[in-house]
Amino acid sequence: MYELMNVYLENGLKVVLHRIPSSKTMACGIWVKQGSMYEDDQTSGLSHLLEHLIVTSGNSKNNHLADIESKGIVYNATTTKEFTSYYFSGISEHLNTCISALSNLVVEFDGVNDEAFENEKNVVLREASSYYSSFKQISERSSQALWGNGNVGRIIVGDVENIGKSSQSQLMDLYNQSYTPENSVLVIVGGFDYYQTMDFVKERFNHWEDRSIRREVALVNKEPGVYINTQNKTDNAIVSVCFKLPEFESDYRNALEVVSLILGDGGVNSRLAQEIRVKRGLAYIVNSYESFYEDRGLLGFASVCQPTIVSNVVEIMINEFAKCKKEGFSPKEISAAKNKLITKRILGLENVLDHLKFLGRCAIYNSTFSLEQEIRNIKKVDGDSINRIVEEIFHENNLGLAVIGNVDVDSVLEKISLK
Amino acid sequence: MEDMNCILDNSLINERKIVKRELYEGPSLDILAILVNGEKTTSEISRILDLPQFSIKLYLSRLLKGGLIKESKTFKEGNVIDRAYQLSTTNLNMINSTPDNQSHDELKEECSAMAEHFNRLQYKAISNIYKYDSDAYLIKSSYIKVNKSKIPQFKEKLEALLKEFNDLEDLDEEMVFGLMVNLTPFEYDN
């Protein structure tokens, strides 16, 4: 049985608790529905900068984060396209300490001193510079190709100019507009007592003032497109062929993850790795990735290779997608991928922090979750359901392309025909 | 490695040589020809040319950045936006002059790109005349030896004729007519 308790405080804060009776560890976190998709051209990058400032404030005032670390508690924060999260994990006896720390960070934030602000801006600028210099950005560039510059196409680290010229008052405005109880979820996983924990949560979060949220959600482009950056003149290029997918709650999510594993699971046994790397030696890195958001999703296939052979790699990928549509997948492939997916889910949920992150995401989407249902849904994936979704997804009008490197994009486009 | 601009960056248009060449790559000129008949969305152009939408978007973005087309309308359905495009001008004057500060090789390449552009437009026009009666078209060419000093005056007359042609425009009409002028010295062997 998978037990979840959902509670709403009077100020609108949703609290999700999942007790694991035998566990001696815990994890807790707050998810705030403020990420890059809610930014515009003038505020691009500020959600991420705000996250940094909030954590910095925990370090600089009262030094409570240093005290927390000294107890062996681990903490971190993440900004995504859809939300920003702050979380702690450690042994169960420190749960109340962590809940207090979350409240101090997220509810009591009132800025940092000027020196700390400028220092943190520089840190974020360095992080952005490092990000834009690496091929890690390919999955976000794929989102950008599919949906345009806004909404889930907007890059999380954002616009370096905005970051450089931002002011604390701008960041406080963003904080006041979006860090509200109704716009947030508190999640707690591990070994704890429900009622004692809820009493403490109320003590630490009831005073959080609810405010109106001011927000506009950007539009997404109807048709997918291409992202190209040919400024990179190094020996390697990275290319990603990507497809639009349905949203996180879609009945097809697990089937799509199975397809992703069969075609592009890391290692040398996936179909694409076999065709591109093992048989032809065209690339070292070939892998698939999926991103599911509240309203939409993406499935991408990326490869790092020499710029001159990108069109060959893309041609092979397109041939494999066409083959999937025509011939489907073997029962053996499907069974192996399902087993991998089930193992991945269970392993993920046995780690209390990964479990917290999964629950936090479900909670911010208002999606109900149970491990048993998740496993049942994976087991139900079969050849028919895969064939149906592949027929719909693998089509050139559902396809986007992202390329970074000194590549002749026109010759790549000629290789892409997928009806 | 330099910081990369985080906004959608089609760096293909940063160099003048590249922009002229790339503007003629692929179906760009076909897109211009389609838009001569009025505004179209990406998916409409994709259907007409039987090319994928993402590919059409790339060429549209080049033409946008080259100033040859512009967005004419946006359509919103929920949080999805669709766009229609039109020509920035119906006078496709882009090929009428070359800048002074180009090297010999740059100039040669520019002229070669212009020739391809013109060739594509002429092909589109002439290959469709079978659909019309002879009152609707005039296709002639003439090659003469002439004193170069007489050409400027003749050019003025042609400019005046082009203006007269443009003055015929009636936006309520359905049919589009093209008048392409190519007055050049002619060398058969390059």
Side-chain angles (χ1 to χ4, degrees):
Chain A
M1 186 174 72
Y2 190 85
E3 200 177 272
L4 270 184
M5 189 188 215
N6 289 325
V7 178
Y8 289 85
L9 301 190
E10 276 185 25
N11 56 13
L13 176 68
K14 180 174 172 178
V15 185
V16 176
L17 305 110
H18 172 58
R19 183 168 162 263
I20 305 171
S22 54
S23 177
K24 293 182 173 48
T25 58
M26 61 81 206
C28 62
I30 278 207
W31 271 252
V32 180
K33 213 166 180 178
Q34 175 61 35
S36 59
M37 70 178 281
Y38 300 108
E39 296 168 348
D40 56 31
D41 289 348
Q42 284 71 46
T43 57
S44 170
L46 298 192
S47 305
H48 178 232
L49 177 58
L50 178 59
E51 174 228 305
H52 271 250
L53 292 181
I54 287 174
V55 174
T56 299
S57 73
N59 277 319
S60 54
K61 286 180 207 173
N62 307 328
N63 225 359
H64 61 85
L65 285 181
D67 290 339
I68 277 168
E69 272 191 303
S70 69
K71 292 180 165 69
I73 297 166
V74 173
Y75 70 90
N76 210 335
T78 310
T79 305
T80 72
K81 292 182 189 290
E82 296 169 298
F83 50 77
T84 307
S85 54
Y86 305 82
Y87 40 87
F88 296 81
S89 63
I91 55 176
S92 295
E93 72 179 69
H94 296 311
L95 175 57
N96 285 358
T97 305
C98 294
I99 291 172
S100 293
L102 278 173
S103 173
N104 287 338
L105 280 182
V106 171
V107 180
E108 313 295 344
F109 176 68
D110 62 357
V112 297
N113 65 50
D114 289 344
E115 188 186 347
F117 181 59
E118 291 304 318
N119 284 346
E120 208 55 34
K121 273 206 299 198
N122 286 334
V123 166
V124 169
L125 285 169
R126 287 301 98 214
E127 186 181 342
S129 168
S130 165
Y131 182 76
Y132 287 128
S133 306
S134 83
F135 284 159
K136 274 192 295 193
Q137 63 183 292
I138 196 66
S139 62
E140 285 204 80
R141 294 301 188 188
S142 299
S143 288
Q144 198 172 25
L146 287 178
W147 291 298
N149 247 1
N151 202 286
V152 294
R154 193 171 291 284
I155 306 289
I156 298 166
V157 293
D159 188 322
V160 294
E161 242 188 77
N162 285 346
I163 298 166
K165 65 185 186 195
S166 61
S167 64
Q168 279 226 57
S169 65
Q170 216 181 347
L171 275 298
M172 286 310 298
D173 280 346
L174 179 61
Y175 169 78
N176 286 326
Q177 283 163 25
S178 53
Y179 279 61
T180 70
E182 226 179 76
N183 205 34
S184 310
V185 178
L186 172 67
V187 186
I188 304 173
V189 174
F192 59 89
D193 177 88
Y194 277 131
Y195 295 101
Q196 281 178 14
T197 301
M198 266 317 301
D199 283 342
F200 194 75
V201 163
K202 282 184 216 168
E203 198 184 298
R204 298 300 301 155
F205 284 94
N206 255 349
H207 68 290
W208 192 4
E209 188 196 339
D210 194 24
R211 295 183 292 276
S212 307
I213 308 161
R214 270 208 323 270
R215 175 208 310 288
E216 272 186 43
V217 180
L219 303 170
V220 294
N221 289 341
K222 186 176 173 195
E223 298 97 1
V226 181
Y227 171 83
I228 317 163
N229 193 322
T230 57
Q231 292 175 43
N232 178 340
K233 302 284 188 237
T234 61
D235 292 340
N236 282 321
I238 186 164
V239 61
S240 163
V241 176
C242 48
F243 298 91
K244 289 188 183 181
L245 294 186
E247 69 286 0
F248 181 80
E249 285 265 76
S250 161
D251 291 338
Y252 286 111
R253 173 166 57 85
N254 290 307
L256 287 161
E257 289 194 65
V258 166
V259 168
S260 175
L261 283 170
I262 296 172
L263 285 175
D265 189 21
V268 298
N269 292 320
S270 70
R271 284 199 186 182
L272 288 177
Q274 283 288 307
E275 294 300 322
I276 293 170
R277 175 176 159 164
V278 174
K279 289 183 185 170
R280 294 173 177 84
L282 294 177
Y284 173 64
I285 297 172
V286 183
N287 65 303
S288 61
Y289 57 94
E290 357 29 88
S291 303
F292 287 99
Y293 305 110
E294 191 172 9
D295 293 332
R296 48 189 55 85
L298 172 161
L299 174 61
F301 300 90
S303 182
V304 177
C305 56
Q306 280 185 311
T308 48
I309 57 164
V310 165
S311 53
N312 302 64
V313 168
V314 168
E315 189 176 24
I316 294 167
M317 285 185 179
I318 297 297
N319 287 343
E320 282 304 306
F321 302 145
K323 192 173 152 193
C324 293
K325 288 177 72 163
K326 194 172 164 198
E327 299 170 12
F329 300 91
S330 70
K332 191 175 165 188
E333 280 179 313
I334 295 173
S335 170
K338 280 164 62 174
N339 287 338
K340 275 188 204 169
L341 196 53
I342 290 172
T343 306
K344 193 172 146 189
R345 283 286 187 271
I346 294 176
L347 282 177
L349 293 171
E350 292 215 334
N351 174 302
V352 72
L353 187 54
D354 288 345
H355 197 154
L356 177 86
K357 289 177 189 173
F358 194 79
L359 270 186
R361 189 180 175 198
C362 290
I364 207 82
Y365 291 165
N366 275 328
S367 167
T368 49
F369 170 79
S370 93
L371 175 61
E372 287 83 5
Q373 186 62 56
E374 188 75 5
I375 304 296
R376 268 202 300 278
N377 288 342
I378 296 171
K379 287 182 177 173
K380 282 184 208 166
V381 171
D382 58 14
D384 284 342
S385 56
I386 288 178
N387 289 343
R388 267 198 303 277
I389 193 65
V390 153
E391 184 61 35
E392 197 182 304
I393 299 298
F394 283 168
H395 188 281
E396 62 193 23
N397 284 337
N398 195 43
L399 183 155
L401 182 73
V403 179
I404 301 175
N406 192 13
V407 174
D408 177 1
V409 172
D410 292 89
S411 69
V412 175
L413 295 187
E414 284 169 14
K415 304 291 184 187
I416 303 179
S417 171
L418 189 63
K419 305 251 186 239
Chain B
M1 196 186 299
E2 288 173 13
D3 284 350
M4 293 181 187
N5 198 326
C6 72
I7 62 168
L8 190 65
D9 176 20
N10 188 341
S11 61
L12 295 165
I13 56 95
N14 284 338
E15 296 180 60
R16 191 182 169 79
K17 180 170 71 173
I18 291 171
V19 71
K20 289 289 188 188
R21 171 62 61 190
E22 298 291 356
L23 280 175
Y24 308 134
E25 291 281 359
S28 297
L29 290 178
D30 295 297
I31 293 171
L32 290 177
I34 287 168
L35 293 178
V36 165
N37 280 310
E39 64 186 12
K40 291 277 185 293
T41 63
T42 307
S43 51
E44 286 168 336
I45 297 170
S46 161
R47 266 196 301 277
I48 293 168
L49 294 177
D50 193 24
L51 287 171
Q53 289 171 7
F54 73 90
S55 174
I56 296 298
K57 281 193 80 168
L58 171 65
Y59 297 111
L60 283 170
S61 75
R62 286 174 179 168
L63 293 170
L64 266 171
K65 288 194 177 175
L68 297 176
I69 67 173
K70 57 185 180 186
E71 272 182 27
S72 58
K73 264 188 209 149
T74 54
F75 310 91
K76 292 176 197 172
E77 201 179 293
N79 70 345
V80 176
I81 187 165
D82 197 4
R83 295 176 176 87
Y85 301 90
Q86 66 183 51
L87 294 177
S88 298
T89 169
T90 50
N91 297 324
L92 292 175
N93 279 332
M94 54 186 282
I95 62 169
N96 274 336
S97 65
T98 60
D100 296 327
N101 56 348
Q102 283 188 319
S103 69
H104 177 264
D105 284 344
E106 282 171 346
L107 203 53
K108 189 174 173 185
E109 184 144 352
E110 179 104 358
C111 291
S112 174
M114 284 187 207
E116 281 181 42
H117 169 217
F118 209 76
N119 181 39
R120 297 278 292 273
L121 287 174
Q122 286 209 317
Y123 180 84
K124 283 285 168 198
I126 297 173
S127 60
N128 281 313
I129 59 169
Y130 69 91
K131 298 176 189 170
Y132 307 104
D133 62 62
S134 58
D135 283 344
Y137 59 83
L138 176 66
I139 298 166
K140 278 187 183 297
S141 59
S142 179
Y143 301 92
I144 56 170
K145 288 191 176 182
V146 65
N147 192 312
K148 187 178 153 186
S149 64
K150 294 188 179 175
I151 296 299
Q153 197 178 12
F154 189 72
K155 262 178 68 172
E156 275 180 30
K157 291 183 184 174
L158 280 176
E159 296 276 10
L161 199 59
L162 266 167
K163 185 178 178 313
E164 197 181 320
F165 175 74
N166 285 333
D167 288 344
L168 292 173
E169 184 166 44
D170 182 348
L171 293 173
D172 292 328
E173 288 295 332
E174 286 285 324
M175 272 186 82
V176 175
F177 282 81
L179 175 61
M180 290 170 246
V181 175
N182 173 7
L183 170 66
T184 58
F186 183 78
E187 290 176 30
Y188 188 77
D189 297 318
N190 286 342

